[in-house]
Amino acid sequence: MPREKLSYAQKQCVTAAGKLMQQTAMIHPGARIGVAVSGGMDSWVLLQVLKLRQRIVPFKFEIMALHVNPGFDPHNHAPLLPWLRANGVASHIEVTDHGPVAHSPANLRNSPCFYCAKLRRTRLFELCKQYGLTHLAFGHNADDLVTTFFMNLVQTGRVDGMSMKEAFFGGRLTVIRPMMLVEKPVIARAVKQWNLPVWTNPCPSAFDSRRSEMTAEVKELCKGNKFAKANIFNGLIRWQLGLTPSDQ
């Protein structure tokens, strides 16, 4: 089967993910990776990239799409199904009530986004155990790393970024973020060029969260200096990779 010719943005995604996976020894022969698919462009490109990297990596690893629908629209994941069938990717898809519960009186202590994300993460961990998966992959990108760094600094006083590779449950599961070296605009171009069927998030808090506020604040901070965001990102990457043990 001939390999598709990739655009510059697509190559950036595939190459950058491969570079980070090699630098951090992110996966190993026989790895079974659950890919958290939300339906947004980041998780779609992650799924596409890991599918392509199966042809490149000199050992076998498996991928399985995991979609936990938050329950605002129980049918909006429909575009995922034809892609999975066409590409022969195993999956687990379920509809939950995480979103409505997070926005209900049952959740009075936490923000809806925090509580919904907590429920989703817990369920993803359960699915990884259920299917015997060794890794759980998220589509967080370079912009997410910068935003998370400032959120940690401003809200908790912690100088901390976002882990590219992190062990959980005594090493039985490893959370990975292969797209961390890729900036959002590159992902946006790649998702269009691959014609991936991104669907919108109907959550009422999708554009009214602390993360979206911090994203806007970082944009304002970098206003007038076209190198500012790239410099922040590059500094964080050097710092985090420098802290990554070579034997992990």
Side-chain angles (χ1 to χ4, degrees):
M1 182 178 177
R3 295 185 178 182
E4 63 177 300
K5 186 175 181 180
L6 300 180
S7 70
Y8 180 69
Q10 291 168 338
K11 286 180 181 177
Q12 279 186 289
C13 291
V14 176
T15 302
K19 177 182 178 181
L20 187 58
M21 291 169 78
Q22 288 181 332
Q23 286 180 314
T24 61
M26 197 169 273
I27 63 173
H28 53 71
R32 307 185 72 231
I33 306 172
V35 185
V37 181
S38 66
M41 65 176 69
D42 298 327
S43 62
W44 262 117
V45 170
L46 170 64
L47 188 60
Q48 178 74 48
V49 164
L50 288 177
K51 181 64 180 173
L52 291 174
R53 291 215 62 83
Q54 283 184 310
R55 307 176 188 173
I56 302 169
V57 174
F59 54 77
K60 289 186 178 180
F61 68 89
E62 301 175 44
I63 60 174
M64 180 179 190
L66 303 176
H67 174 63
V68 179
N69 188 313
F72 294 111
D73 180 352
H75 306 293
N76 68 347
H77 60 264
L80 177 61
L81 304 178
W83 189 96
L84 294 171
R85 286 194 295 268
N87 288 274
V89 176
S91 66
H92 176 100
I93 297 171
E94 66 178 58
V95 179
T96 71
D97 62 354
H98 295 169
V101 168
H103 287 79
S104 75
N107 175 37
L108 297 176
R109 289 190 171 186
N110 303 299
S111 72
C113 294
F114 176 86
Y115 192 62
C116 186
K118 179 182 177 182
L119 293 174
R120 176 174 177 260
R121 174 71 67 93
T122 299
R123 184 57 183 146
L124 288 171
F125 282 160
E126 292 172 349
L127 291 173
C128 288
K129 181 179 180 181
Q130 176 181 330
Y131 289 104
L133 304 177
T134 59
H135 294 70
L136 175 59
F138 290 103
H140 297 110
N141 57 57
D143 295 64
D144 293 319
L145 173 59
V146 172
T147 300
T148 299
F149 172 78
F150 281 104
M151 286 183 69
N152 288 335
L153 185 62
V154 172
Q155 294 185 201
T156 69
R158 290 185 296 117
V159 179
D160 196 10
M162 181 182 284
S163 299
M164 302 172 184
K165 174 188 173 186
E166 185 175 5
F168 285 81
F169 311 115
R172 292 190 296 276
L173 180 70
T174 302
V175 169
I176 59 175
R177 296 180 172 89
M179 305 304 297
M180 195 73 84
L181 297 180
V182 187
E183 295 183 69
K184 190 77 170 184
V186 177
I187 290 175
R189 292 196 298 272
V191 79
K192 289 182 180 179
Q193 292 160 355
W194 270 314
N195 195 30
L196 296 170
V198 174
W199 63 82
T200 56
N201 182 4
C203 173
S205 299
F207 301 101
D208 187 27
S209 65
R210 183 62 189 120
R211 177 166 288 276
S212 60
E213 290 175 3
M214 182 57 71
T215 299
E217 289 172 16
V218 171
K219 184 176 181 180
E220 183 65 24
L221 174 68
C222 298
K223 189 176 180 179
N225 183 349
K226 63 180 181 180
F227 301 110
K229 193 171 184 180
N231 288 338
I232 294 170
F233 166 68
N234 289 332
L236 289 171
I237 287 295
R238 284 193 294 270
W239 170 58
Q240 291 211 173
L241 289 178
L243 293 178
T244 301
S246 59
D247 59 349
Q248 279 192 350

